[in-house]
């Protein structure tokens, strides 16, 4: 593929970048970003007014982990085309990967504003707001995703979890989670959300069935063991609950979750 694209690139007429992009993608697929970036820089120098080339360069900077360079390129492109919502979406993702979450949120928000009917913009904003614990804002953004695409499984699942965790309507949360599972029947996180809502609704047997299946499939996941322990404790099976909670601790949960697990163990007597 590299040889073929090289030959086509050498004979391509001015302004025809199809072979160039094929060659760039070939290098990228091989992890040879030094080659793809060097090639794109040469072409940008020859064609400074072609945004397609600078966009490809920005994308390769980000894919290769050179986030600051990629962010700078996206920002420069945005200055030339401030109404391009897709550029804000790409910028936000680069900022998110860098760890600059507030800047990423602002970029995703602008992207959603410029592309009001684009699911990816609202979903990126919702998931970041969720991460930042901006619960009400995340809820509104997930609801906007569902207005555009009513059966979007990630929005269904995540909104269901927010409702369950914040004292929302558990019947609505259950409906959303069940719809998400219909769309993603093999997804462990979706199953976990459904099981957790069963716990919230005191449907212990339903929850235990789900969580036992999850810990069998993913025995190293501490959250699944913890949730199984909660369901067993709710049912009144303290010995089995202790086993599940101790298994959760052995699998190195996050500090906040570990504290909740130890608190529940202390209640077992």
């Amino acid at each position: 593929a590299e040889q073929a694209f090289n030959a086509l690139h050498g004979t391509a007429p001015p302004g025809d970048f199809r072979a160039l992009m094929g060659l760039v993608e070939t290098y990228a697929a091989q992890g040879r970003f030094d080659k793809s970036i060097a090639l794109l820089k040469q072409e940008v120098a020859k064609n400074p007014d072609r945004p397609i080339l600078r966009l490809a360069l920005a994308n390769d900077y980000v894919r290769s982990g050179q986030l600051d360079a990629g962010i700078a390129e996206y920002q420069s492109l945005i200055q030339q085309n401030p109404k391009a919502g897709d550029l804000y979406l790409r910028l936000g993702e680069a900022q998110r990967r860098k760890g600059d979450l507030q800047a990423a949120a602002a970029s995703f928000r602008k992207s959603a504003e410029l592309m009001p009917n684009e699911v990816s913009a609202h979903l990126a904003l919702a998931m970041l707001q969720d991460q930042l614990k901006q619960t009400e804002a995340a809820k509104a953004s997930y609801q906007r995703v569902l207005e555009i695409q009513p059966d979007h499984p990630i929005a269904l699942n995540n909104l269901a979890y927010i409702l369950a965790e914040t004292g929302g309507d558990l019947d609505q949360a259950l409906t959303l989670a069940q719809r998400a599972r219909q769309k993603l029947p093999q997804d462990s996180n979706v199953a976990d959300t459904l099981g957790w809502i069963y716990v919230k609704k005191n449907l212990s047997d339903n929850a235990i069935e789900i969580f036992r299946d999850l810990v069998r499939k993913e025995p190293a996941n501490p959250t699944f063991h913890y949730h199984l322990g909660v369901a067993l404790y709710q049912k009144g099976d303290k010995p089995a609950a202790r086993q599940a909670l101790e298994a959760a601790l052995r699998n190195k949960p996050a500090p906040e979750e570990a504290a909740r697990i130890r608190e529940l163990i202390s209640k077992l007597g």
Side-chain angles (χ1 to χ4, degrees):
E2 181 181 342
Q3 291 178 349
F5 283 127
N6 250 323
L8 290 169
H9 176 49
T11 59
D16 186 342
F17 301 116
R18 289 174 295 176
L20 168 68
M21 293 305 176
L23 186 56
V24 164
E25 286 303 312
T26 301
Y27 288 142
Q30 297 170 331
R32 299 164 67 190
F33 289 105
D34 56 333
K35 295 279 289 183
S36 64
I37 288 171
L39 180 59
L40 284 167
K41 281 183 172 179
Q42 291 174 7
E43 293 298 326
V44 167
K46 290 189 285 186
N47 302 275
D49 297 325
R50 298 304 295 266
I52 186 175
L53 298 174
R54 297 189 59 196
L55 178 59
L57 178 59
N59 293 341
D60 262 17
Y61 275 138
V62 172
R63 289 195 291 183
S64 67
Q66 300 178 59
L67 298 176
D68 286 332
I71 288 168
E73 284 292 338
Y74 288 137
Q75 289 172 331
S76 179
L77 285 166
I78 285 170
Q79 286 181 348
Q80 297 175 19
N81 189 1
K83 299 296 184 181
D86 180 63
L87 290 176
Y88 280 100
L89 186 59
R90 292 172 187 269
L91 172 62
E93 177 57 23
Q95 291 165 327
R96 186 196 65 78
R97 288 179 56 179
K98 184 183 175 183
D100 193 349
L101 301 186
Q102 295 298 335
S107 295
F108 289 147
R109 196 174 296 110
K110 186 66 175 178
S111 177
E113 175 187 318
L114 291 168
M115 301 190 296
N117 296 313
E118 176 56 49
V119 163
S120 60
H122 292 282
L123 184 63
L125 177 59
M127 294 179 72
L128 188 55
Q129 289 167 331
D130 212 344
Q131 183 180 350
L132 292 169
K133 310 299 184 187
Q134 297 172 359
T135 306
E136 289 303 313
K139 187 190 302 184
S141 295
Y142 285 129
Q143 288 169 337
R144 177 58 186 147
V145 171
L146 294 175
E147 288 172 8
I148 303 168
Q149 187 176 331
D151 287 326
H152 195 288
I154 296 174
L156 288 168
N157 178 74
N158 293 5
L159 180 56
Y161 189 81
I162 286 176
L163 290 173
E165 285 291 275
T166 59
D169 185 334
L170 289 177
D171 289 333
Q172 181 189 4
L174 180 60
T175 298
L176 293 171
Q178 289 170 333
R179 286 169 56 196
R181 200 174 193 202
Q182 287 175 352
K183 303 296 287 188
L184 295 174
Q186 303 303 318
D187 189 287
S188 295
N189 290 321
V190 171
D192 180 61
T193 296
L194 180 58
W196 195 236
I197 293 168
Y198 283 141
V199 167
K200 296 283 186 177
K201 289 177 67 67
N202 292 310
L203 298 171
S204 307
D205 289 334
N206 301 73
I208 289 167
E209 180 181 359
I210 286 177
F211 294 134
R212 278 188 169 149
D213 185 56
L214 286 174
V215 299
R216 179 181 59 81
K217 290 178 179 176
E218 299 186 31
N221 188 310
T223 299
F224 297 161
H225 287 283
Y226 166 51
H227 286 174
L228 175 59
V230 172
L232 289 164
Y233 175 76
Q234 185 182 73
K235 186 175 174 62
D237 190 346
K238 291 185 178 181
R242 182 182 294 276
Q243 287 182 347
L245 295 170
E246 289 174 349
L249 287 177
R250 286 196 299 272
N251 283 284
K252 300 178 181 178
E256 183 179 339
E257 187 170 78
R260 293 196 298 269
I261 293 167
R262 291 191 177 94
E263 180 182 358
L264 185 53
I265 289 175
S266 71
K267 296 177 181 179
L268 295 174

